[in-house]
Amino acid sequence: MDLSRETTYTVADIYNLPEGQRAELIDGQMYMMAPPKRIHQELVSQFTKVIGQYIDSHGGRCKVYPAPFAVLINSDDRNYVEPDISVICDEGKLNEYGCSGSPDWIIEIVSPSTERIDYGIKLFKYRSAGVREYWIVNPRLRTVNVYDFERNEETLQYSFDDNIPVCIYQDLSIHIAKLLS
């Protein structure tokens, strides 16, 4: 009896997708990406601006990259993600294609089609890959789950109306409602 096999994809399959089609790859499983909504793009834009300004004003060496930005999270050919925001402090991880290894801080903005992946699969993948801080921003619920993988095992949840402290930068907090006003 012939048992059907699940296909295992590689980064080469991602780069061979038709132009304009985007996907992520986690442990050889491909996840197609739908176009984002306006609120998603507004949040990406505002986060990029605020974090970039903070880094620049503090003479920081970290870089902030909005999606689409290739992250080979395990530096292998079976894991390729495009976090909505990636902050990378080790320039040795950056190459002409993106980032090889784990960013220091990742922000994912949830859409209905990505909830299961962002809250489950990516949470586990980012923690095990060595990401220092992970935010899950949910525009529908107006909440942010903050994971400080370096110091804290518990999840902290905030509202868009809160000043949300950034774990990797002790003197930075972000008030999302003010960003959107």
Side-chain angles (χ1 to χ4, degrees):
M1 175 160 75
D2 183 18
L3 298 175
S4 63
R5 295 183 193 174
E6 186 175 308
T7 302
T8 300
Y9 295 97
T10 67
V11 173
D13 295 308
I14 294 289
Y15 285 114
N16 286 325
L17 289 172
E19 188 167 334
Q21 189 172 5
R22 292 177 48 214
E24 293 182 307
L25 185 66
I26 300 175
D27 296 327
Q29 177 69 44
M30 193 176 301
Y31 299 90
M32 304 311 290
M33 298 170 70
K37 292 185 177 177
R38 185 187 62 79
I39 185 67
H40 181 282
Q41 291 305 93
E42 188 170 340
L43 284 164
V44 168
S45 176
Q46 292 299 325
F47 279 127
T48 302
K49 182 170 59 175
V50 166
I51 297 166
Q53 287 173 344
Y54 172 86
I55 292 169
D56 290 346
S57 70
H58 286 76
R61 69 182 204 291
C62 300
K63 305 283 186 191
V64 59
Y65 296 97
F69 180 73
V71 175
L72 300 172
I73 193 77
N74 289 103
S75 301
D76 63 18
D77 71 341
R78 294 187 36 180
N79 291 280
Y80 170 102
V81 292
E82 291 184 5
D84 292 312
I85 302 288
S86 299
V87 177
I88 297 126
C89 299
D90 179 354
E91 289 186 31
K93 292 180 180 180
L94 297 172
N95 59 45
E96 65 181 297
Y97 300 103
C99 177
S100 183
S102 59
D104 292 86
W105 180 17
I106 289 177
I107 299 174
E108 293 285 8
I109 299 163
V110 173
S111 64
S113 64
T114 66
E115 279 191 45
R116 182 181 66 83
I117 296 166
D118 292 337
Y119 285 106
I121 296 168
K122 285 185 176 179
L123 173 62
F124 175 78
K125 178 54 73 178
Y126 293 161
R127 178 180 298 188
S128 62
V131 171
R132 295 168 55 201
E133 181 170 359
Y134 177 39
W135 285 22
I136 303 173
V137 178
N138 190 321
R140 183 177 56 81
L141 299 176
R142 296 180 53 86
T143 60
V144 180
N145 288 15
V146 174
Y147 300 88
D148 178 354
F149 295 142
E150 284 188 312
R151 294 182 274 293
N152 196 346
E153 286 297 315
E154 67 185 42
T155 306
L156 300 173
Q157 189 174 66
Y158 298 92
S159 159
F160 277 24
D161 296 315
D162 295 327
N163 280 317
I164 305 169
V166 175
C167 304
I168 68 167
Y169 297 120
Q170 299 302 317
D171 58 345
L172 174 63
S173 63
I174 299 175
H175 192 280
I176 296 173
K178 287 181 182 175
L179 292 180
L180 298 175
S181 61

Coordinates of all heavy atoms in Angstrom, one line a residue, residues 7-97:
T7 N 4.9 16.7 1.8 CA 6.1 17.3 1.2 C 6.8 18.1 2.2 O 6.2 18.9 3.0 CB 5.6 18.2 0.0 OG1 4.9 17.4 -0.9 CG2 6.8 18.8 -0.7
T8 N 8.1 18.0 2.2 CA 9.0 18.9 3.0 C 9.6 19.9 2.0 O 10.3 19.5 1.1 CB 10.1 18.1 3.7 OG1 9.5 17.1 4.6 CG2 11.0 19.0 4.5
Y9 N 9.4 21.2 2.3 CA 9.9 22.2 1.5 C 11.2 22.8 2.0 O 11.5 22.6 3.2 CB 8.9 23.4 1.4 CG 7.6 22.9 0.7 CD1 6.5 22.5 1.4 CD2 7.5 22.9 -0.7 CE1 5.3 22.1 0.8 CE2 6.3 22.5 -1.3 CZ 5.2 22.1 -0.6 OH 4.1 21.7 -1.2
T10 N 11.9 23.5 1.2 CA 13.2 24.2 1.5 C 13.1 25.7 1.1 O 12.2 26.1 0.4 CB 14.4 23.5 0.9 OG1 14.3 23.8 -0.5 CG2 14.5 22.0 1.2
V11 N 14.1 26.4 1.6 CA 14.2 27.8 1.2 C 14.2 28.0 -0.3 O 13.6 29.0 -0.8 CB 15.4 28.5 1.9 CG1 15.6 29.9 1.4 CG2 15.2 28.4 3.4
A12 N 14.8 27.1 -1.0 CA 14.8 27.1 -2.5 C 13.3 27.2 -3.0 O 13.1 27.9 -4.0 CB 15.5 26.0 -3.1
D13 N 12.4 26.5 -2.4 CA 11.0 26.5 -2.9 C 10.4 27.9 -2.6 O 9.6 28.3 -3.4 CB 10.2 25.4 -2.1 CG 10.6 24.0 -2.5 OD1 10.7 23.7 -3.7 OD2 10.9 23.2 -1.6
I14 N 10.8 28.5 -1.5 CA 10.3 29.9 -1.3 C 10.7 30.8 -2.4 O 9.9 31.6 -2.9 CB 10.8 30.4 0.1 CG1 10.2 29.6 1.3 CG2 10.5 31.9 0.3 CD1 8.7 29.8 1.5
Y15 N 12.0 30.8 -2.7 CA 12.6 31.7 -3.7 C 12.1 31.3 -5.1 O 12.2 32.1 -6.0 CB 14.1 31.7 -3.7 CG 14.6 32.5 -2.5 CD1 15.3 31.9 -1.5 CD2 14.4 33.8 -2.4 CE1 15.8 32.6 -0.4 CE2 14.9 34.6 -1.3 CZ 15.6 34.0 -0.3 OH 16.0 34.7 0.7
N16 N 11.5 30.1 -5.3 CA 10.9 29.7 -6.6 C 9.4 30.0 -6.8 O 8.9 29.7 -7.8 CB 11.2 28.3 -6.9 CG 12.7 28.0 -7.2 OD1 13.3 28.9 -7.9 ND2 13.2 26.9 -6.8
L17 N 8.8 30.6 -5.7 CA 7.4 31.0 -5.8 C 7.2 32.0 -6.9 O 8.1 32.8 -7.2 CB 6.9 31.5 -4.5 CG 6.7 30.5 -3.4 CD1 6.4 31.3 -2.1 CD2 5.7 29.5 -3.7
P18 N 6.1 32.0 -7.6 CA 5.8 33.1 -8.6 C 5.9 34.5 -7.9 O 5.6 34.7 -6.8 CB 4.3 32.8 -9.0 CG 4.1 31.4 -8.6 CD 4.9 31.1 -7.4
E19 N 6.4 35.4 -8.8 CA 6.6 36.8 -8.3 C 5.3 37.3 -7.7 O 4.2 37.2 -8.2 CB 7.0 37.7 -9.4 CG 7.5 39.0 -8.9 CD 8.2 39.8 -10.0 OE1 8.8 39.2 -10.9 OE2 8.1 41.1 -9.9
G20 N 5.5 37.9 -6.5 CA 4.3 38.5 -5.8 C 3.7 37.6 -4.8 O 2.9 38.0 -3.9
Q21 N 4.0 36.3 -4.9 CA 3.4 35.3 -3.9 C 4.4 35.1 -2.8 O 5.6 35.0 -3.0 CB 3.2 34.0 -4.6 CG 2.4 33.0 -3.8 CD 2.0 31.8 -4.6 OE1 2.4 31.6 -5.7 NE2 1.3 30.9 -3.9
R22 N 3.9 35.3 -1.5 CA 4.7 35.2 -0.4 C 4.3 34.0 0.5 O 3.1 33.7 0.6 CB 4.7 36.5 0.4 CG 5.3 37.6 -0.3 CD 5.2 38.9 0.5 NE 5.6 38.8 1.8 CZ 5.1 39.5 2.8 NH1 4.1 40.4 2.6 NH2 5.5 39.4 4.1
A23 N 5.3 33.4 1.1 CA 5.1 32.3 2.1 C 6.2 32.3 3.1 O 7.2 32.9 2.9 CB 5.0 31.0 1.3
E24 N 5.9 31.6 4.2 CA 6.9 31.3 5.2 C 7.1 29.8 5.3 O 6.2 29.0 4.9 CB 6.5 31.9 6.6 CG 6.5 33.4 6.6 CD 6.1 34.0 7.9 OE1 5.0 33.6 8.5 OE2 6.8 34.9 8.4
L25 N 8.2 29.4 5.8 CA 8.6 28.0 5.9 C 9.0 27.7 7.4 O 9.9 28.4 7.9 CB 9.8 27.8 5.0 CG 10.3 26.4 4.8 CD1 9.2 25.5 4.1 CD2 11.5 26.4 3.9
I26 N 8.3 26.8 8.0 CA 8.7 26.4 9.4 C 8.8 24.9 9.4 O 7.8 24.2 9.2 CB 7.6 27.0 10.4 CG1 7.6 28.5 10.3 CG2 8.0 26.5 11.8 CD1 6.5 29.2 11.2
D27 N 10.0 24.5 9.8 CA 10.3 23.0 9.8 C 9.9 22.3 8.5 O 9.3 21.2 8.6 CB 9.7 22.4 11.1 CG 10.3 23.0 12.3 OD1 11.5 23.3 12.3 OD2 9.6 23.1 13.3
G28 N 10.1 22.9 7.4 CA 9.8 22.3 6.1 C 8.4 22.4 5.7 O 8.0 22.0 4.6
Q29 N 7.5 23.0 6.5 CA 6.1 23.2 6.2 C 5.9 24.6 5.6 O 6.3 25.6 6.3 CB 5.2 22.9 7.4 CG 3.8 23.2 7.2 CD 3.1 22.1 6.3 OE1 3.4 20.9 6.4 NE2 2.3 22.6 5.4
M30 N 5.3 24.7 4.5 CA 5.0 26.0 3.9 C 3.7 26.6 4.3 O 2.7 25.9 4.3 CB 5.1 26.0 2.3 CG 5.2 27.3 1.7 SD 5.4 27.3 -0.1 CE 6.9 26.4 -0.3
Y31 N 3.7 27.9 4.7 CA 2.5 28.6 5.0 C 2.4 29.8 4.1 O 3.2 30.7 4.2 CB 2.6 29.1 6.5 CG 2.7 28.0 7.5 CD1 4.0 27.5 7.9 CD2 1.6 27.4 8.0 CE1 4.1 26.4 8.8 CE2 1.7 26.3 8.9 CZ 3.0 25.9 9.3 OH 3.1 24.8 10.2
M32 N 1.3 29.9 3.3 CA 1.1 30.9 2.4 C 0.7 32.2 3.1 O 0.0 32.1 4.2 CB 0.1 30.6 1.3 CG 0.4 29.3 0.6 SD 2.1 29.2 -0.1 CE 2.0 30.4 -1.4
M33 N 1.0 33.4 2.6 CA 0.7 34.6 3.3 C -0.3 35.4 2.4 O 0.0 35.7 1.2 CB 2.0 35.4 3.5 CG 3.0 34.7 4.4 SD 4.6 35.5 4.5 CE 4.2 36.9 5.4
A34 N -1.3 35.9 3.1 CA -2.3 36.8 2.4 C -1.8 38.2 2.5 O -1.1 38.6 3.4 CB -3.7 36.6 3.1
P35 N -2.3 39.1 1.6 CA -2.0 40.5 1.7 C -2.5 41.1 3.0 O -3.6 40.8 3.4 CB -2.7 41.1 0.5 CG -3.0 40.0 -0.4 CD -3.1 38.8 0.4
P36 N -1.7 42.0 3.6 CA -2.2 42.5 4.9 C -3.2 43.6 4.7 O -3.3 44.2 3.7 CB -0.9 43.1 5.5 CG 0.0 43.4 4.3 CD -0.4 42.4 3.3
K37 N -4.0 43.9 5.8 CA -5.0 44.9 5.8 C -4.3 46.3 6.1 O -3.1 46.3 6.6 CB -6.1 44.7 6.8 CG -6.9 43.5 6.4 CD -8.1 43.3 7.4 CE -8.9 42.1 6.9 NZ -10.0 41.8 7.8
R38 N -5.0 47.4 6.0 CA -4.4 48.7 6.2 C -3.9 48.9 7.6 O -2.8 49.4 7.8 CB -5.5 49.8 5.8 CG -4.9 51.2 5.9 CD -6.0 52.3 5.7 NE -7.0 52.2 6.8 CZ -6.8 52.7 8.0 NH1 -5.7 53.3 8.4 NH2 -7.8 52.6 8.9
I39 N -4.7 48.5 8.6 CA -4.3 48.7 10.0 C -3.0 47.9 10.3 O -2.1 48.4 11.0 CB -5.4 48.2 11.0 CG1 -4.9 48.5 12.5 CG2 -5.7 46.7 10.9 CD1 -4.8 50.0 12.8
H40 N -2.8 46.8 9.7 CA -1.6 46.0 9.8 C -0.4 46.8 9.3 O 0.6 47.0 9.9 CB -1.7 44.7 9.0 CG -0.5 43.8 9.0 ND1 0.6 44.0 8.3 CD2 -0.3 42.7 9.8 CE1 1.5 43.0 8.5 NE2 0.9 42.2 9.4
Q41 N -0.5 47.4 8.1 CA 0.5 48.2 7.5 C 0.8 49.5 8.3 O 2.0 49.9 8.4 CB 0.2 48.5 6.0 CG 0.2 47.3 5.1 CD 1.6 46.5 5.2 OE1 1.7 45.6 6.0 NE2 2.5 46.9 4.4
E42 N -0.2 50.1 8.8 CA -0.1 51.3 9.6 C 0.8 51.0 10.9 O 1.7 51.7 11.2 CB -1.4 51.9 10.0 CG -1.3 53.2 10.7 CD -2.6 53.9 10.8 OE1 -3.6 53.6 10.1 OE2 -2.7 54.8 11.7
L43 N 0.4 49.8 11.5 CA 1.2 49.4 12.7 C 2.7 49.1 12.3 O 3.6 49.5 13.1 CB 0.5 48.2 13.4 CG -0.7 48.5 14.1 CD1 -1.5 47.3 14.4 CD2 -0.4 49.3 15.4
V44 N 2.9 48.4 11.2 CA 4.3 48.1 10.8 C 5.0 49.4 10.6 O 6.2 49.6 11.1 CB 4.3 47.2 9.5 CG1 5.7 47.2 8.9 CG2 3.8 45.8 9.8
S45 N 4.4 50.4 9.9 CA 5.0 51.6 9.6 C 5.4 52.4 10.9 O 6.5 52.9 11.1 CB 4.1 52.5 8.8 OG 4.7 53.8 8.5
Q46 N 4.4 52.5 11.9 CA 4.6 53.2 13.1 C 5.7 52.5 14.0 O 6.5 53.2 14.6 CB 3.3 53.4 13.9 CG 2.3 54.3 13.2 CD 2.8 55.7 13.0 OE1 3.6 56.2 13.8 NE2 2.5 56.3 11.9
F47 N 5.6 51.2 14.1 CA 6.7 50.5 14.9 C 8.0 50.7 14.3 O 9.0 51.0 15.0 CB 6.4 49.0 14.9 CG 5.3 48.6 16.0 CD1 4.3 47.8 15.6 CD2 5.5 48.9 17.3 CE1 3.3 47.4 16.5 CE2 4.5 48.5 18.2 CZ 3.4 47.8 17.8
T48 N 8.2 50.6 13.0 CA 9.5 50.8 12.3 C 10.0 52.2 12.6 O 11.2 52.4 13.0 CB 9.3 50.6 10.8 OG1 8.8 49.3 10.6 CG2 10.7 50.8 10.1
K49 N 9.1 53.2 12.5 CA 9.5 54.6 12.8 C 10.0 54.8 14.2 O 11.1 55.3 14.5 CB 8.4 55.5 12.4 CG 8.8 57.0 12.6 CD 7.7 57.9 12.0 CE 6.4 57.8 12.6 NZ 5.4 58.7 12.1
V50 N 9.2 54.4 15.2 CA 9.5 54.6 16.6 C 10.7 53.9 17.0 O 11.6 54.4 17.7 CB 8.3 54.2 17.5 CG1 8.6 54.1 19.0 CG2 7.1 55.2 17.3
I51 N 10.8 52.6 16.7 CA 12.0 51.8 17.1 C 13.3 52.4 16.4 O 14.3 52.5 17.0 CB 11.8 50.3 16.7 CG1 10.6 49.8 17.6 CG2 13.1 49.5 17.0 CD1 10.1 48.4 17.1
G52 N 13.2 52.7 15.1 CA 14.3 53.2 14.4 C 14.8 54.6 15.0 O 16.0 54.8 15.1
Q53 N 13.8 55.4 15.3 CA 14.2 56.7 15.9 C 14.9 56.5 17.3 O 15.8 57.2 17.6 CB 13.0 57.6 16.1 CG 12.5 58.2 14.8 CD 11.1 58.9 14.9 OE1 10.4 58.8 15.9 NE2 10.8 59.7 13.9
Y54 N 14.3 55.6 18.1 CA 15.0 55.3 19.4 C 16.4 54.8 19.2 O 17.3 55.3 19.8 CB 14.1 54.2 20.1 CG 14.8 53.8 21.4 CD1 14.7 54.5 22.5 CD2 15.7 52.7 21.4 CE1 15.4 54.1 23.7 CE2 16.4 52.3 22.5 CZ 16.2 53.0 23.7 OH 16.9 52.6 24.8
I55 N 16.6 53.9 18.3 CA 18.0 53.3 18.0 C 18.9 54.4 17.6 O 20.0 54.6 18.1 CB 17.9 52.2 17.0 CG1 17.2 50.9 17.6 CG2 19.3 51.8 16.6 CD1 16.9 49.9 16.6
D56 N 18.4 55.2 16.6 CA 19.3 56.3 16.1 C 19.6 57.4 17.2 O 20.7 57.8 17.3 CB 18.6 57.1 14.9 CG 18.5 56.2 13.7 OD1 19.2 55.2 13.6 OD2 17.7 56.6 12.8
S57 N 18.6 57.7 18.0 CA 18.9 58.8 19.0 C 19.7 58.3 20.2 O 20.3 59.1 20.9 CB 17.5 59.3 19.6 OG 16.9 58.3 20.4
H58 N 19.9 57.0 20.3 CA 20.7 56.4 21.3 C 22.1 55.9 20.8 O 22.8 55.2 21.5 CB 20.0 55.3 22.1 CG 18.9 55.8 23.0 ND1 17.7 56.3 22.6 CD2 18.9 56.0 24.4 CE1 17.0 56.7 23.6 NE2 17.7 56.6 24.7
G59 N 22.3 56.2 19.5 CA 23.6 55.7 18.9 C 23.7 54.2 18.9 O 24.8 53.6 19.0
G60 N 22.6 53.5 18.8 CA 22.6 52.0 18.9 C 23.1 51.4 17.6 O 23.1 52.0 16.5
R61 N 23.5 50.2 17.7 CA 24.0 49.4 16.6 C 23.0 48.5 16.0 O 23.2 47.9 14.9 CB 25.3 48.7 17.0 CG 25.0 47.5 17.9 CD 26.3 46.8 18.3 NE 26.1 45.4 18.7 CZ 25.5 45.1 19.9 NH1 25.1 46.0 20.7 NH2 25.4 43.8 20.2
C62 N 21.8 48.3 16.7 CA 20.8 47.5 16.2 C 20.1 48.0 14.9 O 20.2 49.3 14.7 CB 19.7 47.2 17.2 SG 20.4 46.5 18.7
K63 N 19.6 47.2 14.1 CA 18.9 47.6 12.9 C 17.4 47.1 13.0 O 17.2 46.0 13.5 CB 19.5 47.0 11.6 CG 21.0 47.2 11.5 CD 21.2 48.6 11.0 CE 22.7 48.8 10.7 NZ 23.0 50.2 10.5
V64 N 16.5 47.9 12.5 CA 15.1 47.5 12.4 C 14.7 47.3 11.0 O 14.9 48.1 10.1 CB 14.2 48.5 13.2 CG1 14.3 49.9 12.6 CG2 12.7 48.0 13.2
Y65 N 14.0 46.2 10.7 CA 13.6 45.8 9.4 C 12.1 45.4 9.4 O 11.7 44.5 10.1 CB 14.4 44.7 8.8 CG 15.9 45.0 8.6 CD1 16.8 44.6 9.6 CD2 16.3 45.6 7.5 CE1 18.1 44.9 9.4 CE2 17.6 45.9 7.3 CZ 18.5 45.6 8.3 OH 19.9 45.9 8.1
P66 N 11.3 46.1 8.5 CA 9.9 45.7 8.4 C 9.8 44.6 7.3 O 10.7 44.5 6.5 CB 9.2 47.0 7.9 CG 10.3 47.7 7.2 CD 11.6 47.4 7.9
A67 N 8.7 43.8 7.4 CA 8.5 42.8 6.3 C 8.2 43.5 5.0 O 7.7 44.6 5.0 CB 7.3 41.9 6.7
P68 N 8.5 42.9 3.9 CA 9.1 41.6 3.8 C 10.6 41.7 4.0 O 11.3 42.5 3.4 CB 8.8 41.2 2.4 CG 8.6 42.4 1.6 CD 8.1 43.5 2.6
F69 N 11.1 40.9 4.9 CA 12.5 40.8 5.2 C 12.8 39.3 5.6 O 12.2 38.8 6.6 CB 12.9 41.7 6.4 CG 14.4 41.7 6.8 CD1 15.3 42.3 5.9 CD2 14.8 41.1 7.9 CE1 16.7 42.3 6.3 CE2 16.1 41.0 8.3 CZ 17.1 41.6 7.5
A70 N 13.7 38.7 4.9 CA 14.0 37.3 5.0 C 14.7 37.0 6.3 O 15.8 37.6 6.6 CB 14.8 36.8 3.8
V71 N 14.2 36.1 7.1 CA 14.9 35.6 8.3 C 15.0 34.1 8.3 O 14.0 33.4 8.3 CB 14.2 36.1 9.6 CG1 14.8 35.5 10.9 CG2 14.1 37.6 9.7
L72 N 16.2 33.6 8.2 CA 16.5 32.2 8.2 C 16.7 31.9 9.7 O 17.8 31.8 10.2 CB 17.7 31.8 7.4 CG 17.6 32.1 5.9 CD1 18.8 31.9 5.1 CD2 16.4 31.3 5.3
I73 N 15.6 31.7 10.4 CA 15.6 31.7 11.9 C 16.5 30.7 12.5 O 17.1 30.9 13.5 CB 14.1 31.5 12.4 CG1 14.0 31.8 13.9 CG2 13.6 30.2 12.0 CD1 14.0 33.3 14.2
N74 N 16.7 29.5 11.9 CA 17.6 28.5 12.4 C 18.9 28.4 11.6 O 19.6 27.4 11.7 CB 16.9 27.1 12.4 CG 15.9 27.1 13.5 OD1 14.7 27.1 13.2 ND2 16.3 26.9 14.8
S75 N 19.1 29.3 10.7 CA 20.3 29.3 9.8 C 20.3 28.0 9.0 O 21.4 27.4 8.8 CB 21.6 29.5 10.5 OG 21.6 30.8 11.2
D76 N 19.2 27.5 8.6 CA 19.1 26.3 7.8 C 18.2 26.5 6.6 O 17.8 27.6 6.4 CB 18.6 25.1 8.7 CG 17.2 25.2 9.2 OD1 16.4 26.1 8.7 OD2 16.8 24.5 10.1
D77 N 18.0 25.4 5.8 CA 17.2 25.6 4.6 C 15.7 25.1 4.8 O 15.0 25.0 3.8 CB 17.8 24.8 3.4 CG 17.8 23.3 3.5 OD1 17.5 22.8 4.7 OD2 17.9 22.7 2.5
R78 N 15.3 24.9 6.0 CA 13.9 24.4 6.3 C 13.1 25.5 7.1 O 12.0 25.2 7.4 CB 14.0 23.1 7.1 CG 14.5 22.0 6.2 CD 14.4 20.7 7.0 NE 13.1 20.8 7.7 CZ 12.6 19.8 8.4 NH1 13.3 18.7 8.6 NH2 11.5 19.9 9.0
N79 N 13.7 26.6 7.4 CA 13.0 27.6 8.2 C 13.3 29.0 7.6 O 14.4 29.5 7.6 CB 13.5 27.5 9.6 CG 13.0 26.3 10.3 OD1 11.8 26.2 10.7 ND2 13.8 25.3 10.4
Y80 N 12.2 29.6 7.1 CA 12.3 31.0 6.5 C 11.0 31.7 7.0 O 9.9 31.3 6.7 CB 12.3 30.8 5.0 CG 12.1 32.1 4.2 CD1 13.2 32.8 3.7 CD2 10.9 32.7 4.1 CE1 13.1 34.0 3.0 CE2 10.7 33.9 3.3 CZ 11.8 34.5 2.8 OH 11.7 35.7 2.1
V81 N 11.2 32.8 7.7 CA 10.1 33.6 8.1 C 10.3 35.1 7.7 O 11.4 35.5 7.5 CB 9.8 33.5 9.7 CG1 9.4 32.1 10.1 CG2 11.1 33.9 10.5
E82 N 9.2 35.8 7.7 CA 9.2 37.2 7.4 C 8.4 37.9 8.5 O 7.3 38.3 8.3 CB 8.6 37.5 6.0 CG 9.4 37.0 4.9 CD 8.8 37.4 3.5 OE1 7.8 38.2 3.5 OE2 9.3 37.0 2.5
P83 N 9.0 38.1 9.7 CA 8.3 38.8 10.8 C 7.9 40.2 10.3 O 8.6 40.8 9.5 CB 9.4 38.8 11.9 CG 10.4 37.8 11.6 CD 10.4 37.7 10.1
D84 N 6.8 40.7 10.9 CA 6.4 42.0 10.6 C 7.4 43.1 10.9 O 7.7 44.0 10.2 CB 5.1 42.3 11.2 CG 3.9 41.5 10.7 OD1 3.8 41.4 9.4 OD2 3.2 40.9 11.4
I85 N 8.1 42.9 12.1 CA 9.2 43.7 12.5 C 10.3 42.8 13.0 O 10.0 41.9 13.9 CB 8.8 44.7 13.6 CG1 7.7 45.6 13.2 CG2 10.0 45.5 14.1 CD1 8.0 46.7 12.1
S86 N 11.5 43.0 12.6 CA 12.7 42.3 13.1 C 13.7 43.3 13.5 O 14.1 44.3 12.8 CB 13.4 41.5 12.0 OG 12.5 40.5 11.5
V87 N 14.2 43.2 14.8 CA 15.3 44.0 15.3 C 16.5 43.1 15.5 O 16.4 42.1 16.2 CB 14.9 44.7 16.6 CG1 16.1 45.5 17.2 CG2 13.7 45.6 16.4
I88 N 17.6 43.5 14.8 CA 18.8 42.6 14.8 C 19.9 43.5 15.4 O 20.2 44.5 14.8 CB 19.1 42.1 13.4 CG1 18.0 41.2 13.0 CG2 20.4 41.3 13.4 CD1 17.4 41.5 11.7
C89 N 20.6 43.0 16.4 CA 21.7 43.7 17.0 C 23.1 43.2 16.7 O 24.1 43.8 16.9 CB 21.5 43.8 18.6 SG 19.9 44.6 19.0
D90 N 23.1 42.0 16.2 CA 24.4 41.3 15.8 C 24.5 41.5 14.3 O 23.9 40.7 13.5 CB 24.4 39.9 16.2 CG 25.6 39.1 15.8 OD1 26.5 39.7 15.1 OD2 25.8 38.0 16.2
E91 N 25.3 42.4 13.8 CA 25.5 42.7 12.4 C 26.0 41.4 11.6 O 25.9 41.3 10.4 CB 26.3 43.9 12.1 CG 25.6 45.2 12.5 CD 26.4 46.4 12.1 OE1 27.1 46.4 11.1 OE2 26.2 47.4 12.8
G92 N 26.7 40.6 12.4 CA 27.2 39.3 11.8 C 26.2 38.4 11.3 O 26.4 37.5 10.4
K93 N 24.9 38.6 11.7 CA 23.8 37.8 11.2 C 23.2 38.3 9.9 O 22.4 37.6 9.3 CB 22.7 37.7 12.3 CG 23.1 37.0 13.5 CD 21.9 37.0 14.5 CE 22.3 36.2 15.8 NZ 21.2 36.2 16.7
L94 N 23.6 39.5 9.5 CA 23.0 40.2 8.3 C 23.8 39.8 7.1 O 25.1 39.8 7.2 CB 22.9 41.7 8.5 CG 22.0 42.1 9.7 CD1 22.2 43.6 9.9 CD2 20.6 41.8 9.4
N95 N 23.1 39.5 6.0 CA 23.8 39.3 4.7 C 22.9 39.9 3.7 O 21.9 40.6 3.9 CB 24.0 37.8 4.5 CG 22.7 37.0 4.5 OD1 21.7 37.4 3.9 ND2 22.7 35.9 5.2
E96 N 23.3 39.8 2.4 CA 22.6 40.4 1.3 C 21.1 40.0 1.2 O 20.3 40.6 0.6 CB 23.3 40.3 0.0 CG 23.4 38.8 -0.5 CD 24.2 38.7 -1.8 OE1 23.7 39.3 -2.8 OE2 25.2 38.1 -1.8
Y97 N 20.8 38.8 1.7 CA 19.5 38.2 1.6 C 18.6 38.6 2.8 O 17.4 38.5 2.7 CB 19.5 36.7 1.4 CG 20.3 36.3 0.2 CD1 21.6 35.8 0.3 CD2 19.7 36.4 -1.0 CE1 22.3 35.4 -0.8 CE2 20.4 36.1 -2.2 CZ 21.7 35.6 -2.1 OH 22.4 35.2 -3.2

